[in-house]
Amino acid sequence: SAGPDSMCLLHLLMQKTDKLVVCHINHSVRKESIDEEIFLKSYCKENHLIFESMTIDKYEENNFENEARKKRYSFYEQILKKYHSKYLFLAHHGDDLIETILMKIVRGSNLEGYAGIKEVKDMPSYSIIMPLLHFTKEEIIFYDNSHHLTYFIDNSNINQSYTRNRYRLKFLPLLKEEDPLVHQKFLKFSKTLEEYDTYIKSLILNHINKIFKNNMIYIDELTKLDIFLQKNTLYYILNIIYDNKPNIITEKHIYSIIGLINNPKPNLTLNLPLGKLLVKEYNKLLITNSHIEKKDYQITYQGEHIISNFHIYTTKETDNDDNTICRLNSKNIKLPLYLRNKRDGDLIILKGSNYSKKVKEIFIESKVPASKRSTYPLLVDADDNIIWIPGLKKSKFCIKKDEKNQNYDIIVKCKEREENYE
């Protein structure tokens, strides 16, 4: 950034290696940004360093700080990939660590969040290294001045409309007045929480394969853990869902999910950040996109189909006579047969009864998850009579294998391709 922190870090790294790429972001907030970019470009040329820059032309989100951060890291990752690099050095220092921890405590977070800034953070394809966390801003400026380094002061750092600046200007001086080395205490606090977090994650990993799979959280397995591990397991899962992006999931979201789990209602939903939806379906939580729309379908049955999680196909004779088998007499129905999804008001006359029942009620009684009901296949004839709800119920048109005075010439079977609903 051409600020004192960045210039200090760059000067230190230049003493260790010449394999450096300098990344600069012009946030388009201050008119001085152009002068800083010109200076940095010239500085890198004089010192034979690779210079890469980007300009953020416009901001679309309400939270400037979060949006700027996302765009910065997207740029960093592009440059890391371009130069096949595994290390990203950032100039965050001890004062930044204090501010971050205080902000996390006020906002609410988990152990990893409360630890603030890690000195080394391993990402999927690279590591972020922050060697200046041991030093205060004052020490960094002293270093710069001692080595006659040119740096620029960002006047927006005193703008109290930014959250971090308020912490920096109001709270940090009070803490340093109590103890000039308070940043070292915060660093020790941070590392201690990191150790606890590492241990807790090791406990989570012992159970995670039973609790979370196929984007589904199994409530019965989750609630076997004590409430502390439940909350941290939810943080762990949501970090996976959100690709470990910071400042998205907060303590408020975790407590809302716990409330959803403890609610006696079997089917509930909860909106999560960035268009995600948490759907409670009996003993499972499904994480999906909230904008998914129902799409009706009807296809002519042609002997074999894979729909949703079902494999439905015509078969030869079998001894099986449960709800996964449907035997039909083509003279009793109007061909062709169709497979379609449920529609409002659908009724089926059940085998062995003379009354109709709502398909919706059968889905509820059979504990079919709400997210599956709109795509669950129904077998119907050309008059739209519901013949069979695969795996659940048969209609009056279905014939038992040894049923007296009844013949059949069509046998349809279904097989679930995922876990059972029961």
Side-chain angles (χ1 to χ4, degrees):
S1 68
D5 317 331
S6 298
M7 295 310 296
C8 173
L9 177 62
L10 180 56
H11 187 261
L12 289 168
L13 292 174
M14 286 168 60
Q15 297 174 55
K16 298 293 183 180
T17 180
D18 58 356
K19 295 180 179 179
L20 294 172
V21 178
V22 175
C23 297
H24 175 73
I25 298 95
N26 183 343
H27 290 88
S28 301
V29 175
R30 300 171 298 114
K31 60 182 181 180
E32 296 87 357
S33 298
I34 297 173
D35 296 332
E36 291 165 6
E37 184 171 352
I38 292 171
F39 162 76
L40 266 180
K41 189 172 184 180
S42 174
Y43 183 90
C44 289
K45 184 176 181 180
E46 290 174 10
N47 290 278
H48 309 291
L49 301 174
I50 299 170
F51 179 75
E52 294 278 0
S53 66
M54 73 163 289
T55 299
I56 303 176
D57 294 317
K58 62 179 180 178
Y59 296 88
E60 298 173 351
E61 299 178 15
N62 292 328
N63 191 322
F64 161 78
E65 293 167 273
N66 276 346
E67 184 177 3
R69 186 186 189 283
K70 283 189 284 186
K71 290 182 175 180
R72 279 200 306 273
Y73 274 86
S74 176
F75 173 62
Y76 294 152
E77 288 172 2
Q78 291 174 28
I79 301 304
L80 285 162
K81 187 175 181 180
K82 178 178 178 179
Y83 292 96
H84 308 286
S85 178
K86 301 294 182 183
Y87 304 102
L88 171 63
F89 283 84
L90 298 177
H92 297 301
H93 49 75
D95 291 7
D96 294 325
L97 176 65
I98 296 174
E99 295 158 11
T100 300
I101 291 174
L102 292 176
M103 290 166 63
K104 291 284 188 178
I105 290 172
V106 172
R107 181 187 294 140
S109 188
N110 61 344
L111 269 180
E112 184 177 19
Y114 290 134
I117 306 171
K118 290 185 177 181
E119 196 168 0
V120 178
K121 183 176 182 179
D122 292 322
M123 305 297 284
S125 59
Y126 63 96
S127 294
I128 301 174
I129 302 172
M130 305 190 190
L132 299 185
L133 290 181
H134 294 267
F135 306 100
T136 64
K137 183 80 166 186
E138 290 86 351
E139 290 173 316
I140 288 169
I141 291 178
F142 179 81
Y143 177 92
D144 290 343
N145 293 337
S146 299
H147 291 82
H148 307 291
L149 300 180
T150 300
Y151 57 83
F152 291 72
I153 297 296
D154 183 351
N155 290 326
S156 67
N157 287 335
I158 61 173
N159 183 348
Q160 294 196 34
S161 63
Y162 299 127
T163 304
R164 181 174 291 276
N165 287 352
R166 293 195 295 273
Y167 282 81
R168 177 179 299 145
L169 298 172
K170 292 182 178 182
F171 304 132
L172 207 57
L174 294 175
L175 292 172
K176 289 189 175 185
E177 187 177 325
E178 291 295 322
D179 184 353
L181 298 178
V182 68
H183 66 288
Q184 294 290 355
K185 309 292 176 53
F186 270 77
L187 186 59
K188 181 181 179 182
F189 173 77
S190 174
K191 290 184 179 297
T192 300
L193 290 190
E194 280 186 43
E195 291 171 356
Y196 279 108
D197 183 58
T198 299
Y199 174 69
I200 289 165
K201 281 179 180 171
S202 72
L203 298 180
I204 292 170
L205 290 173
N206 290 334
H207 306 279
I208 195 65
N209 289 335
K210 294 181 180 178
I211 294 171
F212 181 64
K213 50 188 173 182
N214 299 324
N215 236 31
M216 195 86 73
I217 298 171
Y218 291 81
I219 293 174
D220 293 343
E221 293 294 332
L222 178 66
T223 52
K224 287 179 183 178
L225 306 177
D226 64 59
I227 188 65
F228 177 78
L229 276 180
Q230 285 182 41
K231 290 188 289 185
N232 280 277
T233 300
L234 289 171
Y235 268 116
Y236 182 88
I237 291 169
L238 290 168
N239 276 336
I240 294 173
I241 298 297
Y242 287 100
D243 296 323
N244 292 307
K245 294 176 182 174
N247 303 327
I248 295 178
I249 295 301
T250 66
E251 193 174 41
K252 179 183 71 174
H253 297 116
I254 298 301
Y255 278 108
S256 295
I257 297 171
I258 295 292
L260 197 79
I261 290 170
N262 293 328
N263 192 308
K265 293 182 179 179
N267 290 283
L268 294 168
T269 61
L270 175 69
N271 288 315
L272 293 175
L274 305 183
K276 298 288 184 183
L277 188 70
L278 187 75
V279 182
K280 179 184 179 184
E281 298 174 336
Y282 301 98
N283 64 336
K284 302 181 184 73
L285 298 175
L286 173 68
I287 301 170
T288 183
N289 293 320
S290 60
H291 61 270
I292 293 177
E293 298 179 0
K294 174 185 173 182
K295 292 184 179 180
D296 288 332
Y297 66 86
Q298 178 167 311
I299 57 176
T300 305
Y301 179 71
Q302 296 179 333
E304 183 174 19
H305 298 272
I306 293 176
I307 299 177
S308 186
N309 64 317
F310 281 100
H311 183 196
I312 300 171
Y313 55 96
T314 300
T315 186
K316 297 179 180 179
E317 187 56 273
T318 173
D319 291 332
N320 195 353
D321 211 12
D322 63 16
N323 288 324
T324 64
I325 293 289
C326 176
R327 295 179 176 86
L328 300 169
N329 186 327
S330 57
K331 295 179 180 179
N332 298 338
I333 55 177
K334 185 174 181 180
L335 298 176
L337 295 173
Y338 296 93
L339 286 165
R340 68 166 174 81
N341 61 323
K342 187 190 86 68
R343 292 166 190 172
D344 292 342
D346 269 344
L347 299 170
I348 180 173
I349 301 177
L350 296 174
K351 180 73 177 175
S353 72
N354 293 317
Y355 66 91
S356 59
K357 188 166 185 175
K358 291 181 178 179
V359 172
K360 177 181 178 181
E361 292 179 1
I362 293 171
F363 281 166
I364 293 172
E365 292 169 359
S366 303
K367 296 185 178 181
V368 175
S371 65
K372 302 285 187 182
R373 295 173 194 172
S374 64
T375 58
Y376 201 109
L378 308 176
L379 186 69
V380 302
D381 70 359
D383 286 334
D384 205 34
N385 294 306
I386 297 178
I387 307 295
W388 178 45
I389 307 176
L392 296 182
K393 295 292 181 180
K394 299 176 183 179
S395 75
K396 68 176 184 177
F397 299 100
C398 297
I399 300 168
K400 292 183 179 179
K401 181 179 179 183
D402 299 322
E403 193 168 344
K404 291 182 180 180
N405 303 319
Q406 293 289 344
N407 297 315
Y408 50 84
D409 54 0
I410 300 172
I411 305 176
V412 184
K413 181 176 175 60
C414 77
K415 184 178 180 181
E416 288 195 68
R417 301 171 66 235
E418 298 174 0
E419 76 274 14
N420 292 329
Y421 290 119
E422 300 299 332

